[in-house]
Amino acid sequence: MRKKIIAIITALILVITCLPVNAFAATAQQNAAGQYYFIIQDIINKYRICTEEYAECSSGLAYAELIDFNKDGLSELFAIYMEDSGEYTLGVWSFANNKVSRIFTSKQIVTPQNGISWYLLNTNKQTYLVEDFEYGTGLGDAPYSTVYFSDYKFHTVSNNKFVAAGHTEYKQEYHDTNGSMRETYSIKVNNTQTKVNKAKYDQYLAKFDLSKAKTLISNDVGLVEFGFNTANNAKMMHDFLLKSKATYREGTYKNVFSTQPLQKKHGITAFLNYFNNTMNSYSYDNKQNSNQQIVDFIVSARFEGKLSNDSFVQDSSKTSYQDKNGFEYYPYKKATVDALTKKLFGITLQAKNYDSAVYKDGYYYFLSPEIGGDPSSYSSQVNMLISLGSGLYYAEFTTFTFENDADVNEDNLDKIMGTWPESDRQLAYDSLQYGGLQNGYAIVKEVTINGKQTWQLVKYSPNGGLLGNAQLKAYK
């Protein structure tokens, strides 16, 4: 028996040893990607996206990248964003112990005296965030009052911390009367700063090879410029979020959207567009709230003209009425309302009063909003579709917002973007700057009504959320 146990343990060790070295890291990378998604989405929700040059961009996410700083197979998240004009923030987030933590923050307020530039430097063994501080002053110690400083700090990740991996200082001092110059070189190793000659200084810097560094932010005495192109930033951030979501689902759920027939793709697009700007959230699971959420949807969708093709017509034999505050309510037969809610949600409302709706004698009276309609147009484009079985699908989408003066063909908005002309697709990505990058998800059920394939809504959230892999498993 003892020999058998030893044999089993030996076999298990061999199996574990033969696993790919990144087998465990891949799972961590998936979880990290999911949490990084929420960080970037939250920054966009707060500050939007910067698509202008630095001086013209008052706020927004300017840069986001997954970087494996210490080459351990698990990427960190690096981002640059502006909360207000005249300042920018750099951040690094790391994943460890199944959670993400922010391990570096640098907020820079731009002034004429502040000359901090930033670079990314990638080597075979490490990636560094390089801080280049240049500063000039006429307030040095006489007789060398004019002083120029140039400092490099090399930051990287070690043991889930953002650490200093190198530091150099260079100083030029000019004599007040004869104009002579003296230079001082120093390097910092293991928190000990040592003065060195120029040869040793150059030798130390050569290990980092700054000639290969990528400029992120250049700051020439208060003149700040990005070292990257932000003109197409909205699409780049959109694609970054899509890649983060795809990494999170990788190996767990397959995206089947591309394999669906074109008619089915158009169908789910048109169906999701019912709920653009008309529904904040919905969950069939929450019976207490779902009826009220549907009522709120009907009020908004009726006013936005989204129910005109659903035989949702008020009963002309009944007159509307005003409440004590002067708000108008319009009558609809219960059968008309039931037909709509069964078609879109697979349920009928409980016959009772709701906020914005009154039920009386077989009629629902819906509140008429006393404000103007939304002049914008919307299109929710699915970028991930996961089959959960039994006709259920989980869809992740991006909602594009077009202002009323956008020259876009509205007949295309209920179709997938891949069939749009290039000019309309570009308008869609351009719209992400002023409309925000609005991602959402829905669980929908494929059904057949009167011989026609259609959809019903089970769950809906348009505000940047995702359902986790474990949550999807519960639906599956």
Side-chain angles (χ1 to χ4, degrees):
M1 176 62 73
R2 185 171 178 271
K3 290 182 177 180
K4 287 185 177 180
I5 293 174
I6 293 174
I8 291 171
I9 293 173
T10 303
L12 287 172
I13 293 172
L14 287 172
V15 169
I16 293 172
T17 304
C18 292
L19 284 172
V21 294
N22 62 348
F24 300 106
T27 300
Q29 187 70 71
Q30 283 180 259
N31 292 332
Q35 295 190 44
Y36 292 156
Y37 165 87
F38 284 110
I39 291 170
I40 294 301
Q41 182 68 63
D42 184 58
I43 292 173
I44 293 172
N45 288 345
K46 288 180 179 178
Y47 311 117
R48 298 202 174 184
I49 301 172
C50 173
T51 57
E52 308 292 341
E53 297 293 337
Y54 180 89
E56 299 172 359
C57 186
S58 59
S59 66
L61 176 65
Y63 189 92
E65 185 179 359
L66 295 183
I67 302 172
D68 187 358
F69 278 94
N70 57 355
K71 310 294 185 181
D72 65 350
L74 184 59
S75 295
E76 287 75 39
L77 171 64
F78 172 70
I80 303 172
Y81 57 95
M82 301 173 64
E83 300 178 28
D84 299 294
S85 60
E87 66 178 49
Y88 60 86
T89 300
L90 291 85
V92 177
W93 293 260
S94 177
F95 182 85
N97 300 320
N98 207 34
K99 66 178 183 180
V100 166
S101 57
R102 187 164 187 161
I103 60 174
F104 176 75
T105 300
S106 180
K107 182 174 289 190
Q108 301 293 329
I109 299 175
V110 179
T111 67
Q113 294 80 31
N114 188 337
I116 297 181
S117 300
W118 297 88
Y119 312 95
L120 272 178
L121 176 61
N122 186 38
T123 69
N124 292 331
K125 295 182 179 180
Q126 209 84 22
T127 296
Y128 302 96
L129 179 61
V130 184
E131 180 181 356
D132 174 15
F133 176 64
E134 297 184 13
Y135 177 67
T137 179
L139 301 176
D141 296 331
Y144 290 89
S145 301
T146 303
V147 186
Y148 167 77
F149 301 92
S150 176
D151 297 352
Y152 287 107
K153 293 181 182 178
F154 299 85
H155 307 277
T156 191
V157 175
S158 177
N159 296 322
N160 202 42
K161 295 181 179 179
F162 210 62
V163 298
H167 186 183
T168 68
E169 292 186 1
Y170 168 66
K171 181 167 68 173
Q172 286 180 347
E173 298 173 283
Y174 294 90
H175 196 280
D176 296 340
T177 57
N178 62 25
S180 63
M181 180 185 72
R182 66 183 183 187
E183 298 175 297
T184 305
Y185 304 88
S186 61
I187 61 176
K188 198 170 187 178
V189 180
N190 297 327
N191 293 321
T192 301
Q193 187 166 332
T194 306
K195 287 186 178 181
V196 296
N197 58 31
K198 185 178 186 305
K200 286 188 176 181
Y201 176 87
D202 291 341
Q203 184 181 19
Y204 181 83
L205 270 183
K207 295 191 304 181
F208 297 98
D209 194 2
L210 282 168
S211 66
K212 297 180 180 178
K214 171 185 176 181
T215 301
L216 296 172
I217 296 173
S218 64
N219 188 338
D220 185 9
V221 195
L223 177 61
V224 178
E225 293 180 325
F226 291 134
F228 46 87
N229 185 10
T230 56
N232 200 32
N233 227 11
K235 186 178 185 305
M236 289 174 63
M237 297 306 171
H238 170 262
D239 292 346
F240 177 88
L241 290 178
L242 293 193
K243 185 177 180 180
S244 297
K245 292 193 291 185
T247 300
Y248 177 53
R249 304 295 183 194
E250 194 173 81
T252 306
Y253 291 105
K254 182 180 179 181
N255 186 1
V256 300
F257 188 67
S258 63
T259 65
Q260 304 304 303
L262 182 60
Q263 185 176 0
K264 190 171 181 177
K265 294 178 183 177
H266 288 332
I268 195 171
T269 303
F271 178 75
L272 290 175
N273 284 344
Y274 269 106
F275 311 107
N276 290 329
N277 204 41
T278 58
M279 179 167 274
N280 291 324
S281 64
Y282 174 75
S283 178
Y284 174 81
D285 301 329
N286 192 334
K287 299 293 193 299
Q288 185 174 357
N289 293 333
S290 61
N291 276 224
Q292 181 63 58
Q293 290 167 334
I294 291 173
V295 169
D296 294 340
F297 159 75
I298 291 174
V299 172
S300 297
R302 171 191 168 276
F303 190 64
E304 298 295 342
K306 292 191 175 183
L307 304 178
S308 56
N309 296 327
D310 294 278
S311 301
F312 193 72
V313 181
Q314 70 184 69
D315 191 337
S316 58
S317 67
K318 290 279 185 178
T319 59
S320 61
Y321 79 91
Q322 290 185 349
D323 64 14
K324 62 182 180 180
N325 297 313
F327 292 104
E328 200 83 13
Y329 288 73
Y330 292 92
Y332 290 80
K333 288 182 180 179
K334 182 179 185 299
T336 300
V337 176
D338 288 350
L340 176 72
T341 60
K342 286 182 70 174
K343 174 187 174 183
L344 297 182
F345 303 95
I347 64 174
T348 58
L349 296 175
Q350 295 178 353
K352 64 176 187 178
N353 293 341
Y354 298 91
D355 290 342
S356 307
V358 175
Y359 179 76
K360 184 178 180 181
D361 299 330
Y363 285 84
Y364 287 99
Y365 293 80
F366 289 103
L367 173 68
S368 177
E370 300 297 322
I371 57 175
D374 184 358
S376 301
S377 301
Y378 303 87
S379 182
S380 288
Q381 294 289 320
V382 174
N383 42 60
M384 178 168 289
L385 188 68
I386 296 171
S387 175
L388 302 176
S390 302
L392 277 181
Y393 289 86
Y394 170 77
E396 292 173 354
F397 57 84
T398 300
T399 299
F400 296 91
T401 303
F402 301 91
E403 292 186 339
N404 60 338
D405 59 351
D407 187 20
V408 62
N409 186 348
E410 297 205 10
D411 293 337
N412 287 328
L413 300 186
D414 282 346
K415 300 176 181 178
I416 63 170
M417 193 184 292
T419 64
W420 295 8
E422 176 60 30
S423 58
D424 282 1
R425 288 200 298 272
Q426 188 57 52
L427 282 173
Y429 292 120
D430 291 344
S431 75
L432 296 177
Q433 170 59 10
Y434 59 78
L437 185 45
Q438 186 178 0
N439 290 304
Y441 71 84
I443 293 181
V444 295
K445 183 174 179 63
E446 189 176 18
V447 295
T448 301
I449 298 177
N450 298 325
K452 184 180 179 181
Q453 184 274 331
T454 186
W455 302 90
Q456 291 174 343
L457 194 66
V458 177
K459 196 173 184 69
Y460 182 79
S461 175
N463 301 315
L466 295 178
L467 285 183
N469 290 333
Q471 291 172 295
L472 289 184
K473 185 178 179 181
Y475 281 94
K476 191 174 180 66

